[in-house]
């Protein structure tokens, strides 16, 4: 089939056309000597190559997710993981439990345990350097809930654009556009977080900072000291109990009306080594933006001062340098968000990701059917009234995947030879727990 495509679209000559052309070269009117013999060569048709799958992320630490919402299961394949990293199912299950549906009244009621299985890449409890396959079965599918949506497009959902692109789609559960695809990301992100912690002491934490019109003031969360326990202390994953209750009330109010609302997830990365990221096209903030904006329902990304920095002057916005008590150069403020010139500067990286209201709601909406007729739709199924509480581990995962990929890139390019100690720092944390990694 590739040959036929090449023939009609790339203008590649057929074998007979090539033979005829070669015969014409032997004509006495063209060749001065009848003794000249040209070697016979078969004309090979050009190949039409397409690389547009979009299911793989990363350069050195590569993650490919697979599966659909109502298929047999979902998961990921992780390639490029360093060997001898201690890894068990429990390491991955913690974050999968934070992501899973049905965990509280403000999430989708779909009941899935999301119990994972590591099918390859592990021996004697450590990674082998081979690809790691993580599988999670789907057990609570309800395909009949999507009967209306097989005929009509959900407003602001990917239903229509998948048809525009592929001419076919998986209707039940939204297929690959479902947030269930993120299980593979979260599993891989849990491993990435472990590597970052073991090697560099880096910690990635995210929390809900806004639900609809309930906005958590920035000064109520100390990014130097906030903990996972504080974030996980309530079902909305806001580290401030007072604002958490307001956010939960806002979600409850729309949930009972069959509507939905959006919000903002704030993510921080502490103890990030200096030097991660590259100038120009592969700036660290650009890689982070692509990563988190690839998550379902995302609408905006900002880091550091973000859009707020546009209201400041240069003298107000600049992060002045100083020397701390340990003789390390630091910045007095962190409006740069831990990144300058596309490269991490060692300060806390902070970013905010906006999520839209869930597209699938059980209220009557105007739409168009697949056969191009205007109609009304009341969507059924089980869906989150607000995605941000479950988006927290998804954001953490994507940030961790970027950082571990950039850590490996920095080691490969800039750490093969002795560093310049006057200007550079080691990537490893001085408090690293690398001694826990067995040498086998």
């Amino acid at each position: 089939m590739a040959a036929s495509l090449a023939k009609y679209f790339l203008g590649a000559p057929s074998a007979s056309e090539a033979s005829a052309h070669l015969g014409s070269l032997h004509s006495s009117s063209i060749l001065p000597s009848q003794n000249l013999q040209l070697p016979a060569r078969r004309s090979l048709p050009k190949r039409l190559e397409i690389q547009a799958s979009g299911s793989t992320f990363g350069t050195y630490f590569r993650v490919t997710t697979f599966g659909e919402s109502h298929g047999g299961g979902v998961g990921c394949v992780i390639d490029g993981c360093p060997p001898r990293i201690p890894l068990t199912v429990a390491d991955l299950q913690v974050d999968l439990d934070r992501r899973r549906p049905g965990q509280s009244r403000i999430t989708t009621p779909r009941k899935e345990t999301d119990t994972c299985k590591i099918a390859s890449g592990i021996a004697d409890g450590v990674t082998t350097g081979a690809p790691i396959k993580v599988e999670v079965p789907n057990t609570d599918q309800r395909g009949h809930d999507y009967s209306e949506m097989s005929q009509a497009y959900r407003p602001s959902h990917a239903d229509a654009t998948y048809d525009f692109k592929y001419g076919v789609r998986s209707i039940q559960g939204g297929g690959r556009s479902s947030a269930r695809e993120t299980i593979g990301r979260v599993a891989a992100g849990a491993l990435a977080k472990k590597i970052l912690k073991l090697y560099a002491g880096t910690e990635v934490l995210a929390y809900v900072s806004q639900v609809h019109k309930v906005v958590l003031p920035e000064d109520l969360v100390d990014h130097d000291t906030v903990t996972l326990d504080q974030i996980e202390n309530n079902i909305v994953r806001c580290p401030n109990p007072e604002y958490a209750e307001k956010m939960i009330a806002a979600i409850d109010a729309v949930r009972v009306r069959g509507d939905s609302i959006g919000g903002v997830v704030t993510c921080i990365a502490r103890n990030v080594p200096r030097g991660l990221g590259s100038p120009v096209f592969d700036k660290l903030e650009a890689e982070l933006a692509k990563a988190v904006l690839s998550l379902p329902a995302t609408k905006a990304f900002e880091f550091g001062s973000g859009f707020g920095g546009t209201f400041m002057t240069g003298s107000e916005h600049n992060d002045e340098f100083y020397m701390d008590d340990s003789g390390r150069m630091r910045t007095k403020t962190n409006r740069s968000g831990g990144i300058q010139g596309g490269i991490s500067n060692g300060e806390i990286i902070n970013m905010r990701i906006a999520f839209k209201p869930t597209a699938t709601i059980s209220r009557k909406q105007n739409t168009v059917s697949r056969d191009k007729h205007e109609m009304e739709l009341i969507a059924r199924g089980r869906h989150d009234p607000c995605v941000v509480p479950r988006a927290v581990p998804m954001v953490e995962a994507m940030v961790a995947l970027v950082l571990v990929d950039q850590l490996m890139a920095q080691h490969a390019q800039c750490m093969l030879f002795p560093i310049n100690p006057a200007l550079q720092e080691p990537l490893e944390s001085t408090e690293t727990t690398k001694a826990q990694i067995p040498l086998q």
Side-chain angles (χ1 to χ4, degrees), residues 267-307:
C267 186
I268 62 171
R270 296 190 291 228
N271 300 318
V272 177
R274 290 174 172 173
L276 304 192
S278 300
V280 194
F281 297 112
D282 296 330
K283 292 182 178 180
L284 184 56
E285 67 268 34
E287 298 297 308
L288 290 168
K290 176 182 178 180
V292 296
L293 289 178
S294 72
L295 289 168
T298 50
K299 282 298 176 186
F301 168 88
E302 64 177 3
F303 79 103
S305 60
F307 289 100

Side-chain angles (χ1 to χ4, degrees), residues 197-201 271 428-434:
K197 186 68 174 178
L198 284 172
Y199 189 83
N271 300 318
E428 303 96 327
S429 168
T430 56
E431 301 176 357
T432 184
T433 54
K434 286 194 298 179

